[in-house]
Amino acid sequence: MRKNPIYAFCTIFFPMVVILFFTSLMNEGQPVEMPVGVVDQDNTATSRQLIRQLDAFQTTHVVAHYPNMNEAREAIQRNQIYAFLLIPKGTTTGLMSDKQPKISFYYSSVSLVSGSLLYRDLKTISTLGSAGVGMTKLSAIGKTENEIRTFLQPIAVDLHMINNPWVNYNVYLSTTMVPGVLMIFIFLLTPYSIGTELKFRRSRQWIKMAGGNPYIALIGKLLPQTVLFLTMMYGFEFYVFYHLGFPHPGGIVPILLLGLLSVLACQGFGAFAFGLMPSLRMSMSTCSLWSVVSLSVCGATYPLFAMDSAIQSIAQMFPLRHYYMIYQMSIFNGFPLVDSWFNIMALCVFIILPIFTVWNIKRAMLIYTYIP
């Protein structure tokens, strides 16, 4: 490991870069000041007030006014703005004469987060416009402030986002994406470190140094990597939960347990893959595919229950899925570890997988010849 720089890069340098990159990428919590445009064909005091209110929202910034809808649409297609608000001529007149005018807003959902946030702001400003006119008319006929409020909003909504009232997307994404990338390094480095013994003709010496016991050989090979990866994993967890202050009502025990199980599960799968296919190239390709697909099926960005039933079953074969389930149940929501017993047992199964192929690893080290 001292002579080959790839170990230092994959166990220390790249993990630190990934941790700093992802956590600083969304350090604001959510996107702010996203550019939008306006097509104001009414050009009245009411329409200008709506535009000022839209620009006052934290996530929205009005950057341009367009004379017609076609130019605004082309601006979205050129990626200059993410959305635009269309206020047709006669909107104010229609509001005052109870003709129910229509205003339109268009937004791009190519970026899901920006699309959903801008949709919220544009819908809110549309509601505020009609409410403002309603308040003026009700006030003119002598209604009190409480009567106006009750008429415009008969039911008041008291909304609370559980454990993340700031709507901080960093809490949702970094806590899964960073461990997922760290798992990729573990997945790849485990079969690489075993396969290079065969590639550089050190395999017989390796087994001989372990007294012919493949378990001792495997543990001795992977233990230094385990220590380094655990250091990175625990360093990341303490950085986000205790330095950045991410919510973790579950406490420190699930955090420590989850970090240990995740590292060992990925190493167990990597060793199992090499024992199943004692080829450096094939085992690394399998682990690469397994680790990358796990980012899609873990359920962090798209709910697993909304996927096809076959995908829901296959997802249980990926360690990151169980990492995510334990995190969101026992760390983020604070439920006891017994509620995530199935996912803990699944990670333990990944850890013991090498038992089924360890003797095949020994046989490959003693009689196989490396083929590029």
Side-chain angles (χ1 to χ4, degrees):
M1 290 179 66
R2 289 198 305 269
K3 294 179 182 179
N4 191 343
I6 196 170
Y7 288 101
F9 276 103
C10 290
T11 58
I12 300 174
F13 179 72
F14 287 148
M16 291 183 65
V17 170
V18 167
I19 292 170
L20 294 175
F21 172 76
F22 276 99
T23 54
S24 61
L25 182 67
M26 295 174 285
N27 62 341
E28 296 290 338
Q30 61 176 302
V32 295
E33 297 292 321
M34 289 183 288
V36 300
V38 173
V39 180
D40 184 9
Q41 298 174 340
D42 197 36
N43 198 24
T44 61
T46 301
S47 65
R48 288 192 292 270
Q49 182 182 4
L50 285 177
I51 296 170
R52 286 194 297 270
Q53 290 175 337
L54 178 63
D55 193 36
F57 289 149
Q58 182 181 10
T59 54
T60 306
H61 179 46
V62 178
V63 296
H65 289 69
Y66 300 96
N68 55 62
M69 178 178 168
N70 286 334
E71 292 191 17
R73 175 181 54 81
E74 291 174 359
I76 287 185
Q77 293 173 333
R78 290 194 297 266
N79 207 32
Q80 295 175 348
I81 57 175
Y82 288 121
F84 68 88
L85 178 68
L86 172 62
I87 305 176
K89 188 175 181 59
T91 297
T92 304
T93 304
L95 285 170
M96 296 302 180
S97 59
D98 292 331
K99 290 184 179 179
Q100 198 177 20
K102 293 183 179 180
I103 64 174
S104 305
F105 52 84
Y106 300 81
Y107 62 96
S108 172
S109 281
V110 173
S111 175
L112 294 177
V113 174
S114 64
S116 61
L117 291 176
L118 289 176
Y119 169 78
R120 180 196 65 188
D121 286 357
L122 291 167
K123 187 170 180 61
T124 301
I125 204 65
S126 304
T127 305
L128 288 176
S130 59
V133 175
M135 288 179 64
T136 303
K137 295 176 68 175
L138 291 171
S139 179
I141 61 176
K143 296 293 184 180
T144 66
E145 184 177 344
N146 288 333
E147 289 175 328
I148 293 173
R149 188 184 303 113
T150 303
F151 179 80
L152 294 176
Q153 190 179 18
I155 299 176
V157 178
D158 189 15
L159 180 63
H160 299 274
M161 184 167 287
I162 298 176
N163 290 334
N164 188 10
W166 320 277
V167 198
N168 188 338
Y169 283 90
N170 204 2
V171 171
Y172 295 130
L173 296 180
S174 290
T175 48
T176 303
M177 297 301 294
V178 173
V181 178
L182 294 181
M183 287 181 180
I184 293 177
F185 294 135
I186 303 173
F187 268 119
L188 293 177
L189 200 60
T190 300
Y192 172 82
S193 60
I194 300 173
T196 49
E197 297 293 332
L198 193 62
K199 178 178 180 179
F200 297 114
R201 298 181 177 86
R202 300 190 303 259
S203 56
R204 292 181 179 87
Q205 179 187 1
W206 176 39
I207 298 298
K208 182 180 179 181
M209 291 172 63
N213 189 326
Y215 292 100
I216 295 177
L218 201 58
I219 293 173
K221 167 67 69 176
L222 299 181
L223 186 58
Q225 300 174 35
T226 305
V227 172
L228 290 173
F229 280 124
L230 268 179
T231 302
M232 288 294 109
M233 185 68 78
Y234 285 152
F236 160 72
E237 291 179 337
F238 278 90
Y239 174 64
V240 296
F241 292 127
Y242 292 95
H243 179 71
L244 297 182
F246 286 10
H248 54 287
I252 191 172
V253 173
I255 293 175
L256 295 176
L257 178 64
L258 184 57
L260 177 64
L261 290 178
S262 301
V263 172
L264 295 180
C266 293
Q267 288 186 312
F269 184 89
F272 170 76
F274 186 87
L276 205 61
M277 298 167 288
S279 164
L280 179 62
R281 179 179 59 186
M282 287 300 299
S283 59
M284 288 190 67
S285 297
T286 301
C287 288
S288 174
L289 174 65
W290 218 259
S291 59
V292 172
V293 173
S294 64
L295 294 171
S296 300
V297 299
C298 70
T301 55
Y302 189 82
L304 185 64
F305 65 81
M307 300 182 189
D308 188 77
S309 58
I311 302 297
Q312 295 181 35
S313 302
I314 294 173
Q316 310 307 320
M317 302 168 62
F318 297 87
L320 185 60
R321 168 61 183 172
H322 302 288
Y323 174 96
Y324 173 70
M325 291 301 294
I326 297 172
Y327 161 72
Q328 62 123 355
M329 281 194 289
S330 298
I331 298 178
F332 184 74
N333 288 312
F335 293 115
L337 282 170
V338 69
D339 288 349
S340 53
W341 68 268
F342 173 79
N343 306 102
I344 294 175
M345 293 303 298
L347 291 179
C348 291
V349 170
F350 283 110
I351 294 172
I352 64 174
L353 279 179
I355 293 176
F356 301 102
T357 60
V358 67
W359 293 101
N360 198 35
I361 294 177
K362 178 182 178 180
R363 187 165 63 92
M365 293 297 116
L366 294 178
I367 66 174
Y368 279 22
T369 302
Y370 175 76
I371 301 175

